[in-house]
């Protein structure tokens, strides 16, 4: 159980500086259980707290854990240079809270992107030591052959890696589509592995992380949702 003053509450939830949050409260923009809150010094219990700001309802969250179905032509970097950043697809409060992608997808890769403002969670999910499988569906420029699958499974040498990298599992889906499961998250890894195996990645989608699948979330491209406890529990090795 923890109590917090209303100005700190709004600040912690990403509504701006403490000064601005006090102004919002002074202006009568914050309501709790239908009552307009007039003093920023009032303290409230955070567990299960719901509040309305500009008549939009929010739930208190100590941390944000979300999944975005990333569309193409958005960058994961903090300082995007050629395309808008993925944060532009989310409420602006999330930028104030320093919500960041867990690992990165290329600007032209679509699919499942976890995002959070919880540093230890981001670190744990990105750590290669945890061997969390990431599932990709690649559309290839050349036909998917048995030889391609064999090469990806036995390991291909990328020019800046000390040892060959292999897919954990890999299966053809159609003539030009292949599912590749990786435990590592090296730079452009799927594209570089396909190129090293003699093919070319024409399009790439991440369809699962751990045991959590994009399909189970029912998100259109560009849509996001908060992760439930049950979904969080699926973000582990299979
Ligand atoms: N591998 C790639 O080549 N690109 C991504 O975005 C993710 C994995």
């Amino acid at each position: 159980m923890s109590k917090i003053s209303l100005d700190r509450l709004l600040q912690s939830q990403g509504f701006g500086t403490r000064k601005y949050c006090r102004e919002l409260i002074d202006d009568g923009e914050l309501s709790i259980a239908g009552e307009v809150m007039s003093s920023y010094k009032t303290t409230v219990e955070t567990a299960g707290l719901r509040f309305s700001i500009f008549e939009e309802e929010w739930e208190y969250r100590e941390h944000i854990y979300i999944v975005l179905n990333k569309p193409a032509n958005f960058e994961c970097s903090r300082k995007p240079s050629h395309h808008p950043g993925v944060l532009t697809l989310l409420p602006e409060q999330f930028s104030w809270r320093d919500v960041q992608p867990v690992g990165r997808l290329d600007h032209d890769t679509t699919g499942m992107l976890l995002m959070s403002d919880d540093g230890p969670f981001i670190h744990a999910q990105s750590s290669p030591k945890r061997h969390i499988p990431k599932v990709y569906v690649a559309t290839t420029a050349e036909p998917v052959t048995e030889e391609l699958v064999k090469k990806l499974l036995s390991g291909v040498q990328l020019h800046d890696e000390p040892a060959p990298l292999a897919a954990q599992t890999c299966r053809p889906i159609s003539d030009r589509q292949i599912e590749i499961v990786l435990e590592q998250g090296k730079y452009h890894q799927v594209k570089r592995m396909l190129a090293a195996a003699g093919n070319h990645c024409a399009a790439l989608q991440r369809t699962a992380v751990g045991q959590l699948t994009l399909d189970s979330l029912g998100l259109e491209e560009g849509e996001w949702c908060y992760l439930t406890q049950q979904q969080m529990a699926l973000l582990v090795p299979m």
Side-chain angles (χ1 to χ4, degrees):
M1 296 291 226
S2 81
K3 282 198 143 198
I4 191 169
S5 62
L6 293 178
D7 55 346
R8 281 182 189 274
L9 164 77
L10 291 189
Q11 189 184 19
S12 74
Q13 302 301 288
F15 287 92
T17 62
R18 184 95 65 87
K19 182 166 176 285
Y20 177 68
C21 292
R22 286 180 182 179
E23 282 168 18
L24 287 179
I25 296 164
D26 287 346
D27 291 348
E29 299 293 359
L30 172 66
S31 311
I32 295 180
E35 188 188 335
V36 175
M37 307 307 287
S38 52
S39 168
Y40 67 76
K41 291 183 184 158
T42 304
T43 58
V44 284
E45 173 55 52
T46 53
L49 178 67
R50 291 179 167 275
F51 59 94
S52 293
I53 189 108
F54 300 123
E55 293 180 10
E56 189 180 346
E57 188 164 80
W58 293 81
E59 188 183 323
Y60 173 86
R61 290 175 192 268
E62 188 180 352
H63 285 296
I64 300 277
Y65 305 94
I66 63 163
V67 58
L68 168 71
N69 184 356
K70 180 189 171 298
N73 299 324
F74 283 84
E75 290 183 24
C76 287
S77 113
R78 273 171 181 267
K79 291 195 178 149
S81 46
H82 299 293
H83 302 277
V86 285
L87 278 163
T88 61
L89 296 165
L90 307 175
E92 68 170 324
Q93 286 79 8
F94 290 5
S95 302
W96 278 89
R97 293 187 64 156
D98 206 19
V99 168
Q100 306 167 28
V102 178
R104 286 189 181 184
L105 293 178
D106 298 334
H107 81 272
D108 52 356
T109 301
T110 60
M112 196 165 162
L113 182 65
L114 302 174
M115 299 183 76
S116 178
D117 60 352
D118 180 352
F121 170 80
I122 294 174
H123 181 75
Q125 281 296 318
S126 328
S127 167
K129 289 189 195 137
R130 293 194 70 206
H131 302 288
I132 298 172
K134 283 142 198 120
V135 184
Y136 296 91
V137 172
T139 305
T140 56
E142 307 300 331
V144 172
T145 58
E146 251 180 57
E147 197 197 344
L148 175 71
V149 173
K150 263 194 209 150
K151 279 188 184 167
L152 293 171
L153 285 174
S154 60
V156 288
Q157 184 65 53
L158 305 184
H159 80 273
D160 53 354
E161 289 297 327
L165 294 176
Q168 193 190 22
T169 63
C170 175
R171 67 179 178 95
I173 298 178
S174 67
D175 180 40
R176 308 240 171 180
Q177 276 205 320
I178 184 165
E179 184 185 82
I180 302 175
V181 182
L182 298 181
E183 280 184 354
Q184 316 93 339
K186 310 264 183 198
Y187 181 67
H188 291 331
Q189 187 170 344
V190 173
K191 293 174 185 166
R192 290 194 300 149
M193 285 177 69
L194 282 169
N199 206 312
H200 174 78
C201 182
L204 187 60
Q205 183 189 35
R206 182 150 73 191
T207 56
V209 173
Q211 297 166 71
L212 182 64
T213 63
L214 186 61
D215 274 356
S216 70
L217 297 166
L219 298 172
E220 296 292 328
E221 277 190 13
E223 287 184 344
W224 64 274
C225 64
Y226 291 106
L227 286 168
T228 62
Q229 289 293 333
Q230 289 89 328
Q231 289 165 340
M232 297 274 287
L234 297 175
L235 298 173
V236 292
M238 289 181 211

